[in-house]
Every structure is written in structure tokens, then in C-alpha cells.
Amino acid sequence: MSVKEIGEAIESGNIVFGIKQTLKLGKKAKNVFIAKDARDDTVEKLEAAKIEFDVLKSKADLAKELNLDFESEVFSIK
């Protein structure tokens, strides 16, 4: 379900990629998803900012499923 949500957000332009953009968005983010192989410091930064997130597949699997030409650890839906 969540990969589907990310795909829909990409199509509508309501998504940001990466930890920096997610932290800027903060609590305004509707949903935050991270890859299961995200770095520990990325998880720590999200927890420190009290941003709740769901864990998904690996970065490579997500990039492939979403047809992206890059890998991202963090996906945030605005």
C-alpha cells in the first residue's frame, strides 16, 4: 500500500526525497517512509525530530518499483 501511495504522490508532485527535505517539512508531512537499509544516523535524525515513519523495502527495490533513476532513503508525502 505505501509504495502505491508514494507512486501516486510522485505523479501528483506531492513528495519530497531525502532526510534534509523531510526535516524541513517536519510535522507537516502526511506520511514519511524510509528504506529498510537506511543509515542509522538518518533514523536517529528522524527520531530526534519526533517524526513518525514506516519502514519499506531496500533503496534499490524502491527505486526499481517506483521507476526512479536514483535511490533515496527517505520519502515524505506533503
Side-chain angles (χ1 to χ4, degrees):
M1 178 71 179
S2 53
V3 175
K4 182 181 175 186
E5 288 178 69
I6 294 171
E8 291 170 356
I10 290 171
E11 289 177 14
S12 65
N14 291 328
I15 193 161
V16 296
F17 300 97
I19 186 68
K20 287 183 182 180
Q21 295 300 318
T22 299
L23 291 174
K24 284 181 186 177
L25 194 59
K27 300 269 185 190
K28 295 177 187 174
K30 290 182 184 174
N31 294 331
V32 177
F33 303 99
I34 65 168
K36 71 178 180 182
D37 54 350
R39 294 170 290 169
D40 290 337
D41 64 320
T42 300
V43 175
E44 291 169 5
K45 287 177 184 178
L46 289 171
E47 289 173 345
K50 297 186 183 348
I51 296 174
E52 294 181 21
F53 56 88
D54 294 320
V55 180
L56 302 176
K57 302 174 183 182
S58 70
K59 292 181 273 192
D61 289 344
L62 289 170
K64 186 176 180 179
E65 265 189 66
L66 296 168
N67 198 27
L68 300 173
D69 59 354
F70 60 92
E71 292 181 356
S72 179
E73 292 183 323
V74 183
F75 302 86
S76 301
I77 299 176
K78 302 189 233 180

